[in-house]
Amino acid sequence: KAGVTQTPRYLIKTRGQQVTLSCSPISGHRSVSWYQQTPGQGLQFLFEYFSETQRNKGNFPGRFSGRQFSNSRSEMNVSTLELGDSALYLCASSFFLAGGSAYNEQFFGPGTRLTVL
Amino acid sequence: AQSVAQPEDQVNVAEGNPLTVKCTYSVSGNPYLFWYVQYPNRGLQFLLKYITGDNLVKGSYGFEAEFNKSQTSFHLKKPSALVSDSALYFCAVIRAGFQKLVFGTGTRLLVSP
């Protein structure tokens, strides 16, 4: 099976701009989660989507948003970029049964490295 | 709230020696624990998980982890370290019913030849 893919791998933006990151999960996985990784804050959960619905959300401002399509592919958007948004953004997918327990491991993509100048 | 702590920023070990990377957890209810490894410029790779059952969990690449409920620990171990094991290791906990991993701060493992 192909792994989780993320595009683009690298992005350079300037403050005030907006950016969209894309994630394609492993085939058959319907749950997609997004995480932000920075040297200062470590790995932090952004949000999780399942069947096109956001089910969980982390403590990030409203500038961070996402969506999921019917084929389980997901995008996240960051508007009005700030210097502090520079980070590695990781997408993870898992086989999560609706109504079941969240015991399945998440598989991560290689990440998108966002640099805000 | 769920949380995990990795008390060591870095662990140094010689190749061929056993290694241990420490993790302690704090959860309400049953703990669901994971270990991930991250190589430079790569995403996280799943190593192993503890959900229930045997306290010794075996995972990928020869790694195993010991769940200790009384000490609220989930230490990662390997009997014989390889130079290629050098990487950043993360312990994580998940709350049942939610797909939100809460990660520790990570431990850098350096295996010297």
Side-chain angles (χ1 to χ4, degrees):
Chain A
K1 268 186 181 178
V4 178
T5 58
Q6 292 186 245
T7 57
R9 291 293 309 277
Y10 301 91
L11 266 178
I12 299 176
K13 294 286 186 179
T14 57
R15 281 178 295 174
Q17 288 186 309
Q18 75 166 19
V19 67
T20 299
L21 312 181
S22 181
C23 172
S24 293
I26 292 172
S27 177
H29 286 190
R30 296 169 63 189
S31 171
V32 175
S33 300
W34 289 89
Y35 295 84
Q36 181 196 63
Q37 185 177 23
T38 61
Q41 299 299 316
L43 280 155
Q44 293 187 291
F45 173 80
L46 281 156
F47 30 64
E48 184 247 348
Y49 287 86
F50 181 84
S51 291
E52 303 178 64
T53 300
Q54 184 183 91
R55 292 195 304 184
N56 298 295
K57 191 176 189 305
N59 296 323
F60 279 82
R63 299 185 297 106
F64 292 82
S65 63
R67 60 177 175 169
Q68 186 180 34
F69 303 94
S70 59
N71 61 359
S72 294
R73 191 176 69 83
S74 177
E75 290 181 346
M76 69 163 281
N77 184 78
V78 187
S79 63
T80 319
L81 284 166
E82 301 177 359
L83 295 178
D85 297 333
S86 294
L88 180 67
Y89 290 89
L90 294 165
C91 167
S93 74
S94 67
F95 182 71
F96 185 91
L97 294 175
S101 57
Y103 302 152
N104 295 307
E105 57 272 24
Q106 295 179 28
F107 293 90
F108 284 78
T112 295
R113 173 77 60 185
L114 172 64
T115 301
V116 182
L117 302 176
Chain B
Q2 280 73 14
S3 66
V4 292
Q6 296 181 243
E8 302 156 317
D9 290 336
Q10 184 165 308
V11 169
N12 297 303
V13 64
E15 188 173 34
N17 284 357
L19 70 88
T20 298
V21 182
K22 295 180 180 178
C23 172
T24 59
Y25 65 89
S26 174
V27 301
S28 53
N30 294 323
Y32 303 110
L33 299 158
F34 300 78
W35 275 101
Y36 283 85
V37 60
Q38 186 176 35
Y39 295 96
N41 300 316
R42 302 277 293 276
L44 301 174
Q45 294 181 31
F46 169 76
L47 284 178
L48 49 80
K49 66 182 177 184
Y50 173 83
I51 303 301
T52 186
D54 291 339
N55 289 340
L56 186 63
V57 180
K58 294 191 181 296
S60 306
Y61 313 118
F63 284 94
E64 57 190 27
E66 186 173 9
F67 173 73
N68 188 314
K69 188 172 184 178
S70 62
Q71 297 185 5
T72 62
S73 65
F74 188 55
H75 300 333
L76 181 70
K77 300 183 179 186
K78 188 174 182 181
S80 179
L82 299 173
V83 172
S84 58
D85 292 331
S86 298
L88 189 56
Y89 289 80
F90 290 96
C91 180
V93 65
I94 203 166
R95 179 181 168 188
F98 293 86
Q99 285 292 75
K100 173 186 175 182
L101 282 165
V102 176
F103 287 91
T105 51
T107 298
R108 187 165 301 281
L109 174 67
L110 290 179
V111 182
S112 55

